[in-house]
C-alpha cells in the first residue's frame, strides 16, 4: 500500500507537458512549444568545455554532499556581487537545480502541524513539496489587478500560530511579475515581526526587463537575512536546465541540516556538472545580457500579439519568460468536436488540434488560465501565436 503522503501528491504538470512535447517531437511532429519553462538556447561552449576538462582530469568521483568548496566559494562571491550579501562557503549548499534546495529547505523547516504560506498563482512544485514535508500549504491569492502580487496585509491575515514558512518568488513563475523593493520591505516587516522563515526562489533574477535592480528579501535587513534561505539556479541564467545545478544560501544551521538531508538522499551533485558550473560562475556575464535582451524582444512581441487576439489580454510582465493568460471566456465552448470545460482540456485540445503546447493554469493553482512561455525562437512564436488565434476563433465567439 502506498503511503498517504505519496497518494496526496500530484505529479509535476510542467514536467508532464515537457515529456509530452518531447515525445511528440521524437515522433517527428512539429510542435510550437510554449510549454517548457526553459531557455531554447544551448549551454555556451565555454561552459561545456569546463565539463569536458573535468572528465579528462578524471574528476568523476563523489564530491562533498553539499558541493565542492571552490564552487561554494564562487557562489558566495556571486551572491556578494549580485545581492551585496555575505555568506561563508558553509552557508552555501549546491543542489540538483534550485528545486532540490527548496525541497531540502522545506524538509528542514516544516513538519506535521506547520503551515507554509504560498502566494497563488504559484510554481507547480511548492504545495506538493510542502505536502511531502507533512505540512499544510496555505494559499494566499494574488489579484490579477495587482499583477497577481500578494500584499503584506493579505499575508498578515493568513498567519496563524502554526505558520512557519513563506515561499517568496520574484520574478515569479508563472506570471512574470516582479515585486518592487517597497513591496518586499512591507512583506519583510511582517515576517520579521512574526519570526517567519522565507524560502526565496530567485531563479529568474537575471531575467528582468526593467532598470530597477533585483532585490532579494534577504537584503532588506540582517533580521530578514537570518530567516531566509535564498535559492537560485544556473538553469535559466546559463541555459543549463538538464545539468541539474542550483544552490541555496542561508543561516549556517539551516544549510547544515539541508546538507544532512542531501547526504542521506542524493549525495552531492554530479561532479562534472559542478565543474561546469564553476566555469559558468567564474566567467563574464556578457552571455546573460545578450540573452536577456533577446527575451525582452520576444516578450514585447508576444504581449503585443496576445493583446491583438480577440478574447485574450495580458499586462507587460517585468521578468521571467512567461505570460499567464485568462481563458475563462472560452470555457464550455466547442473547438472542432471537443468541448472544453477546464484548463487541462483547453491545453490538450490546443496541442492536439494546433500542435501548440502551453501549461494548464490549474497546475499553478488557477483554473481557467494557461501559462505561455516565450522562451522559444521568433519564427515559432509568430506561427504558434497565429495558430492560437485560429484555435480561439474556431470556438466562434
Ligand atoms: N521550472 C520550469 C517550469 O516551470 C521547469 C520545469 C519544472 O521543474 O517545473 O516550467
Amino acid at each position: 500500500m502506498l503511503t498517504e503522503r505519496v497518494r496526496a501528491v500530484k505529479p509535476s504538470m510542467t514536467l508532464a507537458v515537457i515529456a509530452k512535447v518531447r515525445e511528440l517531437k521524437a515522433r517527428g511532429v512539429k510542435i510550437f512549444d510554449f510549454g517548457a519553462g526553459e531557455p531554447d538556447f544551448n549551454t555556451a561552449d565555454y561552459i561545456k568545455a569546463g565539463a569536458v576538462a573535468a572528465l579528462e582530469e578524471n574528476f568523476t568521483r563523489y564530491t562533498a554532499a553539499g558541493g565542492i568548496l571552490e564552487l561554494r566559494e564562487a557562489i558566495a562571491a556571486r551572491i556578494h556581487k549580485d545581492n551585496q550579501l555575505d555568506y561563508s562557503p558553509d552557508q552555501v549548499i549546491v543542489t540538483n537545480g534550485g528545486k532540490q534546495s527548496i525541497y531540502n529547505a522545506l524538509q528542514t523547516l516544516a513538519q506535521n502541524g506547520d503551515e507554509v504560506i504560498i502566494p497563488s498563482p504559484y510554481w507547480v512544485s511548492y504545495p506538493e513539496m510542502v505536502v511531502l514535508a507533512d505540512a499544510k500549504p496555505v494559499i494566499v491569492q494574488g489579484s490579477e489587478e495587482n499583477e497577481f502580487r500578494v500584499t503584506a496585509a493579505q499575508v498578515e491575515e493568513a498567519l496563524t500560530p502554526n505558520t512557519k514558512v513563506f515561499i517568496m518568488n520574484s520574478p515569479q513563475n508563472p506570471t512574470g511579475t516582479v515585486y518592487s523593493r517597497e513591496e518586499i520591505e512591507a512583506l519583510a516587516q511582517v515576517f520579521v515581526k512574526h519570526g517567519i522563515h522565507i524560502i526565496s526562489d530567485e531563479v529568474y533574477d537575471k531575467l528582468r526587463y526593467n532598470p530597477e535592480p533585483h532585490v532579494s528579501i534577504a537584503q532588506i535587513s540582517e533580521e530578514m537575512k537570518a530567516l531566509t534561505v535564498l535559492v537560485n539556479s544556473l538553469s535559466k541564467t546559463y541555459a543549463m536546465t538538464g545539468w541539474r545545478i542550483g544552490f541555496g544560501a542561508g543561516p549556517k544551521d539551516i544549510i547544515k541540516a539541508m546538507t544532512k538531508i542531501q547526504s542521506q538522499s542524493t549525495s552531492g551533485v554530479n561532479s562534472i556538472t559542478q565543474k561546469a558550473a564553476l566555469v559558468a560562475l567564474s566567467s563574464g556575464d556578457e552571455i546573460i545580457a545578450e540573452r536577456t535582451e533577446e527575451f525582452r524582444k520576444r516578450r514585447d512581441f508576444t504581449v503585443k500579439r496576445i493583446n491583438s487576439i480577440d478574447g485574450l489580454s495580458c499586462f507587460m510582465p517585468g521578468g521571467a519568460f512567461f505570460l499567464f493568460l485568462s481563458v475563462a471566456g472560452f470555457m464550455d465552448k466547442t473547438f472542432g468536436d471537443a468541448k472544453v470545460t477546464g484548463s487541462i482540456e483547453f491545453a490538450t485540445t490546443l496541442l492536439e488540434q494546433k500542435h501548440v503546447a502551453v501549461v494548464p493554469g490549474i497546475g499553478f493553482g488557477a483554473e481557467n488560465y494557461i501559462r505561455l512561455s516565450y522562451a522559444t525562437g521568433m519564427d515559432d512564436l509568430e506561427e504558434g501565436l497565429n495558430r492560437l488565434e485560429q484555435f480561439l476563433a474556431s470556438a466562434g465567439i
Side-chain angles (χ1 to χ4, degrees):
M1 184 64 165
L2 301 179
T3 60
E4 232 173 83
R5 184 192 306 121
V6 83
R7 281 185 283 140
V9 165
K10 298 194 269 307
S12 164
M13 203 167 270
T14 44
L15 294 189
V17 171
I18 290 168
K20 179 80 190 157
V21 169
R22 300 266 197 270
E23 183 196 312
L24 288 167
K25 283 183 180 169
R27 295 208 326 248
V29 184
K30 167 71 187 163
I31 300 295
F32 298 87
D33 186 7
F34 304 150
E38 67 176 347
D40 56 319
F41 303 115
N42 291 324
T43 306
D45 288 343
Y46 68 90
I47 299 175
K48 289 192 278 194
V52 172
L55 270 172
E56 279 166 359
E57 286 157 20
N58 291 309
F59 193 76
T60 53
R61 299 191 164 81
Y62 292 127
T63 70
I68 57 175
L69 178 62
E70 308 93 284
L71 182 54
R72 284 183 288 123
E73 283 170 345
I75 291 166
R78 167 57 62 116
I79 299 174
H80 176 80
K81 177 169 162 256
D82 290 352
N83 309 106
Q84 301 79 53
L85 289 167
D86 288 320
Y87 292 103
S88 56
D90 57 358
Q91 291 183 288
V92 173
I93 179 172
V94 179
T95 53
N96 279 283
K99 204 166 184 172
Q100 194 182 19
S101 273
I102 300 168
Y103 181 83
N104 289 353
L106 281 166
Q107 290 290 323
T108 299
L109 296 171
Q111 61 188 349
N112 194 5
D114 291 339
E115 294 177 3
V116 176
I117 299 184
I118 304 173
S120 176
Y122 46 72
W123 178 47
V124 293
S125 294
Y126 299 149
E128 308 308 318
M129 286 186 187
V130 171
V131 170
L132 285 170
D134 293 331
K136 182 179 162 203
V138 173
I139 307 300
V140 176
Q141 186 63 47
S143 75
E144 189 158 2
E145 297 70 54
N146 196 22
E147 297 185 356
F148 299 105
R149 293 175 186 89
V150 297
T151 62
Q154 276 182 292
V155 172
E156 189 139 38
E157 204 167 298
L159 293 177
T160 76
N162 297 327
T163 308
K164 279 293 287 290
V165 180
F166 177 88
I167 303 187
M168 180 85 207
N169 177 216
S170 174
Q172 193 183 53
N173 180 359
T175 61
T177 295
V178 178
Y179 281 70
S180 70
R181 187 179 184 101
E182 292 68 36
E183 287 159 343
I184 295 174
E185 273 169 0
L187 287 167
Q189 250 182 24
V190 176
F191 302 137
V192 169
K193 182 167 143 203
H194 297 277
I196 309 296
H197 283 286
I198 306 301
I199 299 173
S200 183
D201 178 351
E202 303 178 19
V203 303
Y204 295 98
D205 67 338
K206 298 288 181 297
L207 288 169
R208 280 174 303 96
Y209 310 109
N210 297 329
E212 297 81 30
H214 170 72
V215 180
S216 168
I217 194 162
Q219 283 169 253
I220 300 300
S221 65
E222 274 306 314
E223 293 97 315
M224 195 64 259
K225 184 181 174 215
L227 288 165
T228 303
V229 177
L230 186 161
V231 174
N232 211 325
S233 159
L234 281 78
S235 290
K236 331 286 175 182
T237 312
Y238 295 101
M240 292 180 75
T241 51
W243 297 74
R244 308 310 303 133
I245 183 97
F247 54 87
K252 223 177 262 188
D253 56 334
I254 296 178
I255 296 299
K256 193 172 168 195
M258 288 168 62
T259 307
K260 179 165 73 174
I261 288 166
Q262 196 151 292
S263 80
Q264 294 290 22
S265 51
T266 58
S267 300
V269 168
N270 175 310
S271 57
I272 299 154
T273 291
Q274 289 193 58
K275 283 287 192 181
L278 185 57
V279 172
L281 291 174
S282 323
S283 309
D285 280 346
E286 296 77 16
I287 197 171
I288 301 174
E290 275 165 32
R291 289 175 174 180
T292 304
E293 219 22 63
E294 181 57 34
F295 282 126
R296 177 205 301 281
K297 282 188 206 141
R298 296 176 188 181
R299 176 198 66 157
D300 293 353
F301 169 79
T302 311
V303 167
K304 198 165 163 206
R305 185 73 183 91
I306 288 293
N307 283 320
S308 77
I309 296 177
D310 277 348
L312 291 185
S313 67
C314 66
F315 60 88
M316 184 69 83
F321 37 52
F322 304 116
L323 301 181
F324 202 56
L325 306 173
S326 170
V327 289
F330 298 95
M331 290 301 120
D332 298 322
K333 299 288 181 271
T334 305
F335 298 82
D337 53 4
K339 186 163 179 205
V340 162
T341 55
S343 61
I344 294 182
E345 285 159 308
F346 183 96
T348 309
T349 312
L350 177 62
L351 184 60
E352 278 168 6
Q353 294 186 4
K354 294 288 177 193
H355 296 173
V356 173
V358 296
V359 184
I362 188 75
F364 307 95
E367 185 54 307
N368 299 342
Y369 282 81
I370 53 168
R371 187 190 75 177
L372 186 153
S373 158
Y374 53 84
T376 192
M378 265 298 190
D379 291 350
D380 275 14
L381 264 179
E382 250 172 75
E383 175 58 17
L385 291 169
N386 290 344
R387 285 170 173 244
L388 176 61
E389 185 173 39
Q390 289 155 14
F391 176 72
L392 297 176
S394 75
I397 61 163

